[in-house]
C-alpha cells in the first residue's frame, strides 16, 4: 500500500519497530518478517523521494482566500513575458453571475518577482462564497 501522507508514514515506521521487536520461532517466520520490513522501507523511500511541487501556499486566510507563490517556467527571460504567461495560464477571471455564492475562484491580485534566477508570481486568490 502506497503512503499518501505523514500519518501513514508514521504508521509504517511504527510497523517496522513492531516487526523488529518480534522474535520469530522458525526460519519461515523470520523470512516473512524480513520481507515485510523490506516492503515497508521501500514504501518509505518512495514517499520520501517523491518530487516536490515548487508552488507554495504563503498565506491561507481560511475558506475564502489564499496567497500562493507560483514558479514560472525558466525559459521566460523578461518581466513582460512573465506577466503574459501568468495572464494566459494562471489568472482567474471573476465572471459575473445572477446567483450568489457561486464558489468560483478568482484572482484578487498578483505580483511578478525575479528570484533565484527565475520569475515567480505571488498570486492572491479569492472565492465567491
Amino acid at each position: 500500500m502506497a503512503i499518501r501522507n505523514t500519518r501513514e508514514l508514521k504508521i509504517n515506521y511504527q510497523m517496522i519497530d513492531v516487526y523488529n521487536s518480534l522474535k520469530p520461532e522458525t526460519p519461515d517466520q523470520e523470512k516473512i518478517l524480513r520481507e515485510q520490513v523490506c516492503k515497508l522501507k521501500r514504501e518509505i523511500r518512495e514517499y520520501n523521494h517523491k518530487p516536490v511541487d515548487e508552488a507554495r501556499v504563503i498565506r491561507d486566510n481560511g475558506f475564502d482566500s489564499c496567497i500562493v507563490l507560483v514558479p514560472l517556467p525558466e525559459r521566460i527571460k523578461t518581466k513582460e513575458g512573465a506577466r503574459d504567461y501568468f495572464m494566459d495560464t494562471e489568472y482567474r477571471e471573476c465572471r459575473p453571475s445572477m446567483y450568489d455564492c457561486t464558489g468560483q475562484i478568482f484572482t484578487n491580485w498578483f505580483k511578478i518577482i525575479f528570484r533565484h534566477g527565475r520569475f515567480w508570481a505571488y498570486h492572491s486568490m479569492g472565492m465567491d462564497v
Side-chain angles (χ1 to χ4, degrees):
M1 178 171 82
I3 300 172
R4 296 173 299 207
N5 53 44
T6 54
R7 183 179 152 275
E8 291 177 0
L9 178 66
K10 184 178 178 181
I11 290 171
N12 273 24
Y13 277 118
Q14 291 170 342
M15 290 300 297
I16 289 173
D17 286 343
V18 168
Y19 287 148
N20 286 333
S21 68
L22 296 175
K23 303 294 183 215
E25 295 177 5
T26 67
D28 288 338
Q29 289 177 344
E30 182 178 352
K31 180 181 175 193
I32 291 169
L33 286 175
R34 196 169 47 246
E35 288 172 357
Q36 288 298 320
V37 168
C38 286
K39 180 182 173 205
L40 291 170
K41 286 182 178 180
R42 192 174 308 111
E43 290 172 2
I44 289 170
R45 277 193 299 277
E46 287 173 10
Y47 179 80
N48 286 333
H49 292 96
K50 68 181 180 188
V52 177
D53 186 11
E54 291 183 283
R56 302 273 191 264
V57 175
I58 302 299
R59 176 174 290 152
D60 182 4
N61 296 326
F63 182 69
D64 62 347
S65 67
C66 69
I67 300 173
V68 180
L69 180 60
V70 181
L72 302 180
E74 293 179 10
R75 70 177 185 274
I76 298 173
K77 300 299 180 199
T78 65
K79 194 164 190 169
E80 294 77 29
R83 184 182 188 290
D84 291 342
Y85 177 86
F86 182 87
M87 293 301 290
D88 290 342
T89 61
E90 300 290 333
Y91 187 83
R92 296 176 180 227
E93 183 93 23
C94 182
R95 292 183 177 84
S97 172
M98 60 188 221
Y99 301 104
D100 289 337
C101 306
T102 61
Q104 69 176 308
I105 297 172
F106 55 90
T107 297
N108 291 323
W109 56 265
F110 68 94
K111 181 175 182 170
I112 305 292
I113 61 167
F114 189 77
R115 173 176 161 183
H116 302 293
R118 73 190 294 184
F119 285 98
W120 297 72
Y122 283 102
H123 186 190
S124 173
M125 294 180 283
M127 179 185 279
D128 182 18
V129 290

